Amino acid sequence: MSKVLLAGESWVSAVIDHKGFDAFPHTQVHIGCAELLEALAVAGHEVTHLRSHDVAEQFPLTLEELDAYDVVILSDVGANSLLLPPQVFEEGKRAPNRLKLLKEWVERGGGLMMAGGYLSFQGFQAKANYHDTAIEEILPVDILPYDDRVETPEGVQGRVVAAHPVTQGLDEIWPHLLGYQKLTPKADATVLAEVEGRPLLAVREVKEGRTLAFASDISPHWAPKEFMAWAGYGLLFGNAVTWLAG
């Protein structure tokens, strides 16, 4: 069993409904990782989910706090949420740079995964903003400095291109995905799966630790229901966590 910290994969929507002369606002919290949490639990992993709006305040600020976990997953949560804890943004006080902290933690033996999405890698309008950061330095891929999304509403299929513990037991051709991030593998990375000739799944060993990049989403819209219902969905991410944990 591995202990996993999943940061992100939630959002808050604020909506105003108009009904004739009258309107009323309402808000709702959405959780995008329910299927992933279930799949990792079935695989025997213990996951703590830190919702996106809690990341700035509650994500670990020390190596000792990170050491409570074997694997950290960043999914659809931008760099600002890690860089701007309340003491920095609201009080103007100094605090550790959690991107650099994660790099040090990985180099000491931790496992880091980034999954794709509108606020992953560089993201929608480059708002995720992980390009040229300590996170990019340790990932198995280089990140573009601008909006890196590739929307594929027609559907595209990933294909396994290398045997590895992460891809063990998976079909060679995967169910359709509806989008992904355009990434470039580092020279010492291993690309395990491709989509349209680009890396979909890549891994890398970084000193004593390991990193993994999955260029598409773990939930809709890029990961449609067919992908999440695929038997390989749980196997893929269960394998990923097991390998990252060493």
Side-chain angles (χ1 to χ4, degrees):
M1 180 188 74
S2 301
K3 292 188 176 181
V4 182
L5 176 62
L6 169 58
E9 275 304 323
S10 75
W11 63 98
V12 178
S13 61
V15 180
I16 298 177
D17 289 341
H18 295 266
K19 298 184 177 182
F21 279 89
D22 301 303
F24 66 93
H26 57 94
T27 58
Q28 183 177 353
V29 176
H30 304 267
I31 305 299
C33 57
E35 288 87 351
L36 180 67
L37 293 174
E38 181 179 355
L40 293 181
V42 169
H45 303 299
E46 180 182 328
V47 185
T48 299
H49 179 210
L50 195 56
R51 298 180 182 187
S52 297
H53 57 272
D54 290 324
V55 169
E57 183 176 1
Q58 298 180 21
F59 193 91
L61 280 164
T62 66
L63 289 172
E64 291 72 23
E65 290 175 309
L66 281 172
D67 282 341
Y69 305 98
D70 303 299
V71 176
V72 171
I73 301 175
L74 301 178
S75 184
D76 224 351
V77 62
N80 279 331
S81 293
L82 293 163
L83 291 169
L84 299 172
Q87 57 265 49
V88 174
F89 192 69
E90 298 174 10
E91 302 175 29
K93 297 179 180 178
R94 297 170 60 204
N97 183 319
R98 291 186 284 202
L99 305 186
K100 295 179 179 178
L101 188 74
L102 276 168
K103 178 186 176 184
E104 183 179 354
W105 178 74
V106 167
E107 291 174 342
R108 293 169 67 250
L112 175 68
M113 168 181 166
M114 180 173 284
Y118 270 38
L119 280 171
S120 295
F121 300 104
Q122 199 65 353
F124 176 73
Q125 297 180 349
K127 289 184 177 180
N129 204 28
Y130 285 102
H131 169 70
D132 200 24
T133 67
I135 296 297
E136 183 182 29
E137 291 177 21
I138 58 174
L139 285 176
V141 293
D142 290 328
I143 301 171
L144 293 172
Y146 44 80
D147 191 320
D148 57 4
R149 295 169 302 128
V150 180
E151 299 287 352
T152 58
E154 74 281 14
V156 289
Q157 291 182 277
R159 180 175 66 91
V160 173
V161 296
H164 189 273
V166 175
T167 54
Q168 185 174 359
L170 295 175
D171 302 330
E172 179 186 355
I173 305 299
W174 296 358
H176 284 93
L177 295 163
L178 302 181
Y180 62 93
Q181 244 96 19
K182 189 186 298 184
L183 305 169
T184 302
K186 286 186 167 69
D188 61 345
T190 302
V191 177
L192 304 182
E194 293 182 345
V195 59
E196 298 190 319
R198 298 189 176 103
L200 174 60
L201 179 67
V203 294
R204 184 184 182 207
E205 297 193 16
V206 184
K207 294 187 178 180
E208 300 300 317
R210 296 175 171 184
T211 61
L212 180 149
F214 178 63
S216 193
D217 210 334
I218 63 172
S219 63
H221 73 279
W222 282 353
K225 295 297 183 181
E226 293 80 5
F227 183 81
M228 293 189 296
W230 171 46
Y233 177 86
L235 184 60
L236 167 61
F237 295 114
N239 286 352
V241 167
T242 298
W243 180 80
L244 285 167

